[in-house]
Amino acid sequence: MDAHFLPISRVRQAPSVAVVVDVMRAYTVAAWAFARGAEKIVLAESTADALALTVRHPGWVALKDGPPAPGFDLVNSPGLLRSADLSGRTVVQKTTAGTVGALAVKHAPLVLCAGFVVAEATARVLRAGGYEEVTFVVTGEDGRADEDLACAEYIAHRATGPDTTAATATGPATETAGAPGATTGPATDTTTAPGYTTDRATADRAAPYLHRAAASRAAVELATGIREGAHADDVALCLELDRFPFAMAATLEDGLMVLRPHTPH
């Protein structure tokens, strides 16, 4: 697999396969939303679009970066979201980088959205598809966010490395659809146990990547309260390796970019 790592600003055309990475915090939050029962996540172009969607669909809930704001039900924090009951709900998400990155590649045949919490599941989708070329969109800080680059590089390593079978899935699959070797549908609630059983060798290989993410600017800003709308556990939750057994795939549905859980075999 030929892996390319690009910032959002350098995405000129839709790649054949895109993996959009936002560790802190968009796609950690998205994974937690699915674990808490969300059916789908609509990735909004702007905060105004997010609010307009909830007006048209009163049962939908809106989520954004930063502190709480009128019209928004949730903030972009895994620590604050993990106790929410989102059973059967549609979440509308607008963030500074993560959702922007996915929308930049919305015409790609396959768009996966990822963080460390779904790293192994994402790598398994790539392995199952046998893709020759994959573009990793490193969303933070115009491609310089080390937590996102580290995660992208780790997923690429897991998808192509010499030992790609160390982690064992523990979560069930649901209805079949989507990319080769995967199923899609509502995620089960996996908040009580990791999505994969990770052995010591896998943990050791992941350690340098997680260390880079823990030392990143985003991690420091979250830990020191510079970023608003945060919980004290956010950094730790963003660095939970393979917390969930599903990947996340985004597709265009009636003109909207919609993210759903996507569970590899």
Side-chain angles (χ1 to χ4, degrees):
M1 185 185 82
D2 188 7
H4 306 278
F5 304 90
L6 298 178
I8 298 170
S9 62
R10 288 185 56 199
V11 176
R12 305 299 185 202
Q13 58 186 14
S16 56
V17 178
V19 179
V20 184
V21 181
D22 188 325
V23 173
M24 296 184 186
R25 294 162 285 172
Y27 295 129
T28 301
V29 166
W32 271 99
F34 289 130
R36 298 304 300 158
E39 178 184 351
K40 63 184 179 182
I41 298 174
V42 177
L43 306 178
E45 297 270 1
S46 67
T47 53
D49 286 345
L51 291 174
L53 284 167
T54 59
V55 169
R56 292 203 300 272
H57 304 275
W60 291 11
V61 296
L63 179 158
K64 74 169 195 65
D65 278 334
F72 285 88
D73 308 278
L74 302 165
V75 295
N76 192 46
S77 161
L80 296 172
L81 185 78
R82 61 183 167 177
S83 61
D85 181 4
L86 297 174
S87 300
R89 306 294 293 275
T90 294
V91 175
V92 183
Q93 186 180 34
K94 171 66 180 86
T95 69
T96 305
T99 58
V100 176
L103 290 164
V105 293
K106 63 184 178 181
H107 295 297
L110 176 62
V111 178
L112 301 173
C113 297
F116 282 110
V117 293
V118 294
E120 181 63 26
T122 304
R124 287 190 175 213
V125 173
L126 298 178
R127 292 199 299 271
Y131 304 109
E132 294 183 359
E133 192 170 14
V134 176
T135 296
F136 289 84
V137 182
V138 182
T139 62
E141 301 175 35
D142 196 31
R144 296 185 299 274
D146 207 27
E147 74 281 4
D148 293 341
L149 183 58
C151 185
E153 291 174 350
Y154 176 71
I155 293 170
H157 168 75
R158 290 296 298 156
T160 61
D163 180 5
T164 56
T165 59
T168 302
T170 61
T174 52
E175 64 178 344
T176 302
T183 60
T184 60
T188 56
D189 187 342
T190 55
T191 57
T192 58
Y196 285 87
T197 300
T198 303
D199 67 7
R200 173 54 71 87
T202 300
D204 287 347
R205 280 191 294 271
Y209 301 95
L210 292 167
H211 178 77
R212 285 168 55 191
S216 68
R217 175 181 173 183
V220 171
E221 290 182 351
L222 284 170
T224 57
I226 293 175
R227 297 194 181 190
E228 295 184 280
H231 186 279
D233 293 339
D234 278 357
V235 173
L237 292 171
C238 290
L239 299 181
E240 280 192 296
L241 183 66
D242 303 330
R243 181 67 177 78
F244 302 110
F246 52 84
M248 299 182 292
T251 56
L252 283 171
E253 300 180 16
D254 298 323
L256 298 174
M257 195 63 166
V258 178
L259 188 66
R260 297 181 186 271
H262 186 94
T263 305
H265 294 303

